[in-house]
Amino acid sequence: MAVRSVGVVSPQRMVFDEPLRLKSGGVLPRYELVYETYGELNAAKTNAVLVCHALSGSHHVAGYYEDDPKNIGWWDNFVGPGKPLDTRKFFVIGVNNLGGCYGSTGPKSIDPETGEPYGSRFPFVTVEDWVEAQARLADRLGISEFAAVIGGSLGGMQALSWALQYPERVRHVLAIATAPKLSAQNIAFNEVARQAILTDPDFHGGDYYRYGVVPKRGLMLARMIGHITYLSDDAMAEKFGRALKHGAFRYSYDVEFEIESYLRYQGEKFSRYFDANTYLLTTRALDYYDPAAEYGGDLAQAFARAQARFFVLSFSTDWRFSPARSREIVSALVHSEKPVSYLEIESKAGHDSFLLEHPHYHAAVRAYLNQVAV
Amino acid sequence: MSTVMTPDTNETAQPESALRFDLAAIARWVQPEERVLDLGCGDGALLAYLSATKRVVGYGIENDVNRVIACLDRGVNVIQSNLDQGLAGFEDGFFDRVIMSQALQAMHNTQGILQEMLRVGREAVVSFPNFAFWKHRKSILEGRMPVSESLPHQWFNTPNIRFFTVADFTTLCDLLDIEILEWMGFDDQHQPLPPDADLNFLATLAIARLARR
């Protein structure tokens, strides 16, 4: 059978009335999660795979919408019939995380207490809180254990966290282009992005919804900074080099170089659909993530309770979460005698590589998932 | 929540006869439930066999992406790494046994990797083609570089960069304060040689079990 798309999909919604106590101390008394599923859950319910999204991702992992066929899922090249995460074998779930802006309860949702969007009142959420919410969704879907939890970047952190928070509920973890915690440099980039949003006059302390505006410039800048870190120096050189927009200098601060045009375009596009508060919350969740912290920084000890098998993947030119960061995870897992495999894919595309099609990358995931029993 | 009922992987046990003869010999030295590191593990055949039959906690190290994928395909733990960069990330004395089968002759950092093997492992097992096997000597006498099953390449395309003999290896171990606990040698019919045989002359492939002195 040929490789194809999962086809037309539609998001679903689950309402949770049991309060969720968050790591920050905040509480969400009631919340909703939007999610999508692909493939069929088998009778024994042993073939479920959770896909965790990264900073700007969503529950729309694969396929497209009937009324919007151009809106293709963010990991459509990875999930589908005959694809590395094969929906003929697995029942795949994508969830929009809490604090998100694609339909799950987040800062732009209406706070039942005030009848207005949460805005600045939305509590801080962490990777652990997301996993907790995902686990509750799994409960409601009757899934007691996942065959695998898979994610790239921030999604990889959730996948790792699953193995620690619910060791008996996940058999395999695929942690792709991720890190066991952010470095000072990672946090620094996040902080610049946040400052761009926080200092935008249209931010209004996070309650911009009330004023009918969005901190567009801040969000645009944040996304531009992000894009620099997603690409490698090589990829930028190859894609743009010093190519000029108009063939010759115009001696102005308008776009001179193609790279400027690209960043502005990406930033502008993003600022039209993404919520600034979600961006702030999500970058903070990245900063806070550090599963070794409660073990005196000993990551191996943090992994001691894991029962899953792990597959860790990195990309050679990824400098946001470099191969060295993945090797920290691998060393800690070996140290605590956990089954783990590791592969560094030769790729020019930097951090973005995890979203792209690459023959070795996809072949490796395919091979790994092929031997996962369901 | 229910306990995990589904097996982790679809691994199936291979009979010993399906293993390459030198790997089968190495496997006999491995005790049940050891922690094993297999350097240059190829397609993971040895580790798959050891985890199925001896329940070892095993990891393979392999640099070639296609071989890594072959390991993944059979459910073997494989960690991609370039051995010439040592075994950084593995702690001292973590493994019971570190194996390197027919790879030492292709490594630049020969002394370094031997020392690394006995840093992270209690025992090491090294197999290598014996350049001094009598047919190889005959070939040299006839004026040609030896080509055999254990040295299958031509001089111009061989991945091997170190050419050494059982006697040379013994001298190096002495120099590095490594004790050779046991030898196994095979003739070119894959038959094991008797323990008192002159391996340097009769073995086309030699396997040594090593420990720190």
Side-chain angles (χ1 to χ4, degrees):
Chain A
M1 192 162 117
V3 175
R4 55 185 173 82
S5 164
V6 297
V8 172
V9 296
S10 49
Q12 290 164 274
R13 178 176 298 274
M14 191 82 82
V15 179
F16 298 82
D17 286 316
E18 192 195 340
L20 184 67
R21 197 162 293 281
L22 304 165
K23 206 179 169 190
S24 62
V27 178
L28 280 172
R30 182 184 180 280
Y31 56 95
E32 302 182 10
L33 293 175
V34 289
Y35 64 99
E36 287 179 12
T37 69
Y38 322 102
E40 298 288 332
L41 185 61
N42 65 14
K45 301 187 175 183
T46 54
N47 69 334
V49 172
L50 178 66
V51 172
C52 303
H53 70 75
L55 214 170
S56 59
S58 71
H59 54 288
H60 186 34
V61 178
Y64 53 89
Y65 298 133
E66 187 140 48
D67 58 356
D68 187 7
K70 282 189 181 154
N71 188 353
I72 296 167
W74 58 269
W75 220 359
D76 192 73
N77 64 31
F78 193 89
V79 179
K83 293 182 181 175
L85 177 48
D86 194 333
T87 51
R88 293 170 301 177
K89 176 177 178 181
F90 296 107
F91 176 66
V92 180
I93 304 173
V95 197
N96 185 212
N97 283 326
L98 279 179
C101 54
Y102 290 107
S104 291
T105 300
K108 70 174 185 181
S109 308
I110 300 297
D111 178 353
E113 269 186 43
T114 63
E116 279 189 65
Y118 278 100
S120 61
R121 291 167 47 87
F122 198 85
F124 280 90
V125 286
T126 62
V127 166
E128 290 81 2
D129 298 329
W130 288 334
V131 168
E132 184 59 38
Q134 290 159 2
R136 289 188 180 183
L137 177 66
D139 291 343
R140 294 275 289 272
L141 296 173
I143 294 160
S144 61
E145 64 172 55
F146 283 107
V149 179
I150 303 180
S153 195
L154 176 57
M157 293 173 179
Q158 292 159 62
L160 292 173
S161 204
W162 256 97
L164 306 185
Q165 286 174 255
Y166 290 101
E168 73 290 358
R169 296 186 70 175
V170 50
R171 298 203 304 274
H172 294 268
V173 166
L174 280 80
I176 306 170
T178 191
K181 63 182 174 202
L182 292 201
S183 67
Q185 189 193 47
N186 293 146
I187 295 169
F189 276 110
N190 281 349
E191 173 59 5
V192 176
R194 278 192 297 269
Q195 284 302 324
I197 294 169
L198 293 167
T199 59
D200 186 319
D202 285 336
F203 182 62
H204 296 289
D207 294 315
Y208 43 86
Y209 316 100
R210 202 181 282 167
Y211 301 86
V213 293
V214 292
K216 196 173 166 62
R217 278 164 295 177
L219 196 51
M220 180 174 158
L221 277 176
R223 185 60 165 177
M224 288 169 77
I225 294 157
H227 262 284
I228 298 170
T229 69
Y230 305 150
L231 293 175
S232 69
D233 196 20
D234 286 354
M236 261 198 205
E238 191 169 294
K239 212 164 166 181
F240 308 105
R242 289 177 56 84
L244 298 175
K245 182 85 180 163
H246 307 291
F249 291 159
R250 293 187 161 184
Y251 297 96
S252 88
Y253 295 116
D254 287 338
V255 169
E256 290 272 39
F257 297 92
E258 286 290 358
I259 181 63
E260 297 172 307
S261 174
Y262 170 80
L263 289 177
R264 288 185 194 195
Y265 171 77
Q266 291 294 340
E268 207 281 323
K269 190 175 75 171
F270 189 69
S271 70
R272 269 185 273 135
Y273 64 81
F274 207 79
D275 181 64
N277 281 317
T278 293
Y279 201 90
L280 293 174
L281 282 171
T282 309
T283 55
R284 257 311 187 219
L286 273 159
D287 295 356
Y288 290 140
Y289 180 70
D290 182 6
E294 57 184 293
Y295 296 91
D298 187 340
L299 189 61
Q301 232 185 74
F303 279 128
R305 78 193 106 131
Q307 294 174 24
R309 301 177 75 98
F310 293 80
F311 184 22
V312 179
L313 282 130
S314 70
F315 297 91
S316 57
T317 55
D318 183 352
W319 57 279
R320 185 182 174 91
F321 295 142
S322 71
R325 307 307 312 281
S326 283
R327 285 196 298 267
E328 287 174 38
I329 298 168
V330 174
S331 290
L333 286 166
V334 172
H335 195 111
S336 55
E337 288 186 61
K338 303 302 173 191
V340 55
S341 288
Y342 170 68
L343 179 58
E344 176 186 322
I345 302 289
E346 283 293 330
S347 163
K348 288 182 184 173
H351 188 60
D352 262 350
S353 302
F354 87 89
L355 294 167
L356 305 176
E357 264 188 272
H358 181 293
H360 287 148
Y361 170 33
H362 279 193
V365 171
R366 198 185 291 276
Y368 186 88
L369 290 175
N370 179 43
Q371 49 84 38
V372 169
V374 295
Chain B
M1 285 301 143
S2 64
T3 51
V4 175
M5 301 297 286
T6 313
D8 290 337
T9 68
N10 295 323
E11 257 174 62
T12 47
Q14 297 282 321
E16 189 192 282
S17 59
L19 274 186
R20 207 173 67 201
F21 73 99
D22 57 318
L23 298 181
I26 291 169
R28 277 174 235 135
W29 276 340
V30 177
Q31 303 302 309
E33 294 177 25
E34 280 188 347
R35 294 194 224 182
V36 176
L37 185 65
D38 184 2
L39 306 181
C41 65
D43 64 3
L46 176 61
L47 282 171
Y49 174 76
L50 290 176
S51 76
T53 60
K54 305 210 177 182
R55 303 175 310 281
V56 300
V57 177
Y59 301 91
I61 305 275
E62 179 55 63
N63 201 29
D64 178 81
V65 63
N66 291 312
R67 291 185 195 141
V68 169
I69 291 170
C71 288
L72 295 171
D73 206 29
R74 60 191 335 158
V76 163
N77 297 323
V78 59
I79 295 168
Q80 191 197 32
S81 179
N82 181 348
L83 285 178
D84 269 318
Q85 287 157 15
L87 298 174
F90 294 100
E91 57 184 311
D92 295 3
F94 183 81
F95 291 97
D96 296 300
R97 199 169 301 277
V98 182
I99 296 165
M100 184 187 281
S101 77
Q102 302 201 46
L104 190 65
Q105 72 277 7
M107 300 214 30
H108 286 271
N109 188 10
T110 317
Q111 299 182 61
I113 195 66
L114 282 172
Q115 280 165 326
E116 276 285 85
M117 288 174 80
L118 285 168
R119 175 182 70 79
V120 303
R122 189 169 51 80
E123 282 191 12
V125 175
V126 173
S127 77
F128 59 89
N130 175 30
F131 206 74
F133 174 53
W134 68 271
K135 285 186 184 173
H136 297 159
R137 298 187 193 196
K138 178 168 170 276
S139 180
I140 296 273
L141 276 177
E142 285 161 0
R144 303 297 296 265
M145 285 299 282
V147 176
S148 68
E149 191 191 353
S150 68
L151 291 171
H153 299 91
Q154 296 291 339
W155 66 273
F156 50 82
N157 64 7
T158 179
N160 299 335
I161 53 171
R162 307 283 186 210
F163 298 95
F164 57 100
T165 69
V166 168
D168 292 331
F169 186 76
T170 307
T171 306
L172 178 64
C173 287
D174 252 354
L175 202 70
L176 299 177
D177 244 5
I178 292 170
E179 185 179 356
I180 299 175
L181 302 172
E182 199 174 341
W183 278 108
M184 258 193 293
F186 292 87
D187 67 19
D188 58 356
Q189 303 304 308
H190 303 175
Q191 292 310 303
L193 294 159
D196 57 348
D198 177 2
L199 297 189
N200 202 39
F201 192 72
L202 297 174
T204 181
L205 188 84
I207 314 178
R209 193 159 68 83
L210 312 169
R212 274 178 305 266
R213 191 164 277 153

